[in-house]
Amino acid sequence: MILSIESSCDDSSIAITRLKDKKLLFHKKISQDAEHAQYGGVVPELAARLHAVTLPKILEEAKSYFSQLKAIAVTNEPGLSVTLVEGVSMAKALSVALNLPLLGINHLKGHICSLFIEAETLFPLDVLLVSGGHTQLLHVTNLDEIKLLATTMDDSFGESFDKVGKMLGLPYPAGAIIESYAKKGDAKRFDFTIPLQGTSSSLLAFSYSGLKNQVRLCIEAQGNLDEQTICDICASFQRVAVAHLMQKIKKAYKERSVEHFGVVGGASANLYLRGELEAFCASKKAKLHTAKMEFCSDNAAMIGRCAVEAYQKGAFVAVADLKVRSSSKDIFY
Ligand code: KG4
Ligand code: ZN
């Protein structure tokens, strides 16, 4: 079995994954949403302090598996460096104390592996990764060969939901709340412009800061917001935010075939986005792969699943060599 640890942002999570059949034997996650909500976003220093309390608590519950462990795995990149250090330090201590090899896992590869929890991997695979930190379109030949087709030039898709939520006075993280408000709203009431059209339409990239500004100006123009107006803003924003993703995805695959398409990351829980991706995949005769809702946002189960692949390749790292890195551009070619 492999014990995996995730602490790249504000979720403390530990999982135990069985090597022979990839079965998830134990998985626990403690989120810090409530603690960060009052600041309108994640405060790295606070997140690190909370990990230092919650990770040992979760570890206590996983102790019965210690005698059967073959390796310790931990997210070491990308993420908030001060929070990554919490998980990495714990992993190093366990590796030394239990005399077990250590695996450093890339968080983005972990999100890709959220599609394969308790299942076999499936490659090649095209992936849309939409989270609080990333908006990326990837062609994944395998976990060691990942081509970046498009990324965001500024805010990420999930981040734009959080920022619009903050402007509307909604709690952090706002993604799921905006989605639920949008269900009750008129998506055509506010005619926000889809980003990166016109002169930059040839560009294969995403951008959300301009849309966020359009929403800010709209909110300011409305003055006092009644419940229905909030719902209409959420619905209109979500429609345009997703339309932007879809426009660029369609562009990317205009002359490119795709058989298997996956969507991962916290924002992949969005059902409106999933619906649009279903329609796109149907038009390309491709199959859409989604993670179970509980594995969309950050979790150690996906890190454990990724670690099974790393273990089988023998990709171990010496305790002194495992470094924390806030970005990881070099996983792409
Ligand atoms: O993957 P994740 O848990 O953390 C990062 O690695 O960033 O993603 C969290 C992000 C947040 O920005 C949150 O607002 C967004 O995912 N999110 C959503 C939805 N659920 C979570 N965005 C849009 N619609 C949702 N239903
Ligand atoms: Zn993530």
Side-chain angles (χ1 to χ4, degrees), residues 74 84-94:
V74 62
L84 286 166
V85 162
E86 293 299 325
V88 167
S89 301
M90 174 180 264
K92 287 186 176 188
L94 285 169

Side-chain angles (χ1 to χ4, degrees), residues 128 157 179 183 238 242-243 245-246 249-250 261 263 267-283 286 288-290 293:
L128 174 68
F157 180 78
E179 183 182 9
K183 285 196 188 109
Q238 180 179 260
V242 171
L245 279 182
M246 296 315 302
I249 290 171
K250 281 174 193 160
F261 192 93
V263 61
S268 73
N270 188 293
L271 294 181
Y272 177 69
L273 171 61
R274 286 186 175 201
E276 293 294 298
L277 287 171
E278 280 285 4
F280 163 72
C281 285
S283 76
L288 179 67
H289 300 266
T290 54
M293 284 296 179

Side-chain angles (χ1 to χ4, degrees), residues 170-182 234:
L170 304 174
Y172 172 88
I177 304 165
I178 290 195
E179 183 182 9
S180 67
Y181 273 94
C234 289

Side-chain angles (χ1 to χ4, degrees), residues 68-306:
Q68 297 168 81
L69 294 178
K70 291 275 182 241
I72 305 293
V74 62
T75 305
N76 68 314
E77 59 170 27
L80 301 170
S81 41
V82 289
T83 65
L84 286 166
V85 162
E86 293 299 325
V88 167
S89 301
M90 174 180 264
K92 287 186 176 188
L94 285 169
S95 166
V96 172
L98 302 174
N99 196 23
L100 290 170
L102 188 61
L103 294 159
I105 303 296
N106 180 287
H107 183 77
L108 307 181
K109 293 185 186 183
H111 272 300
I112 295 169
C113 288
S114 68
L115 299 170
F116 311 131
I117 289 169
E118 300 197 322
E120 293 304 319
T121 54
L122 175 82
F123 299 120
L125 176 75
D126 286 77
V127 174
L128 174 68
L129 165 59
V130 271
S131 68
H134 295 85
T135 307
Q136 295 177 333
L137 191 58
L138 307 166
H139 178 69
V140 187
T141 305
N142 58 59
L143 289 173
D144 297 315
E145 270 180 273
I146 304 177
K147 187 176 169 73
L148 180 66
L149 303 178
T151 188
T152 181
M153 305 195 303
D154 39 62
D155 292 349
S156 77
F157 180 78
E159 187 180 7
S160 72
F161 278 68
D162 296 333
K163 288 184 172 171
V164 164
K166 195 172 179 181
M167 293 188 270
L168 289 169
L170 304 174
Y172 172 88
I177 304 165
I178 290 195
E179 183 182 9
S180 67
Y181 273 94
K183 285 196 188 109
K184 299 175 274 179
D186 173 5
K188 292 283 168 66
R189 175 161 165 204
F190 299 103
D191 197 15
F192 302 127
T193 310
I194 299 176
L196 299 187
Q197 295 192 109
T199 50
S200 45
S201 63
S202 60
L203 191 67
L204 202 51
F206 305 107
S207 169
Y208 281 95
S209 65
L211 176 59
K212 171 192 69 189
N213 263 334
Q214 290 185 63
V215 178
R216 182 176 56 78
L217 293 172
C218 167
I219 292 170
E220 282 168 13
Q222 290 299 310
N224 272 342
L225 298 172
D226 56 48
E227 173 92 4
Q228 190 55 52
T229 302
I230 292 177
C231 292
D232 295 345
I233 291 173
C234 289
S236 304
F237 159 71
Q238 180 179 260
R239 172 179 60 78
V240 176
V242 171
H244 174 42
L245 279 182
M246 296 315 302
Q247 218 169 53
K248 294 298 179 185
I249 290 171
K250 281 174 193 160
K251 187 173 172 49
Y253 295 97
K254 202 166 172 198
E255 270 141 36
R256 212 186 157 96
S257 64
V258 51
E259 205 180 327
H260 295 285
F261 192 93
V263 61
V264 299
S268 73
N270 188 293
L271 294 181
Y272 177 69
L273 171 61
R274 286 186 175 201
E276 293 294 298
L277 287 171
E278 280 285 4
F280 163 72
C281 285
S283 76
K284 296 291 280 185
K285 297 192 168 43
K287 181 166 169 34
L288 179 67
H289 300 266
T290 54
K292 272 190 185 165
M293 284 296 179
E294 63 189 296
F295 301 131
C296 290
S297 60
D298 294 347
N299 65 83
M302 68 188 195
I303 302 304
R305 180 61 189 87
C306 199

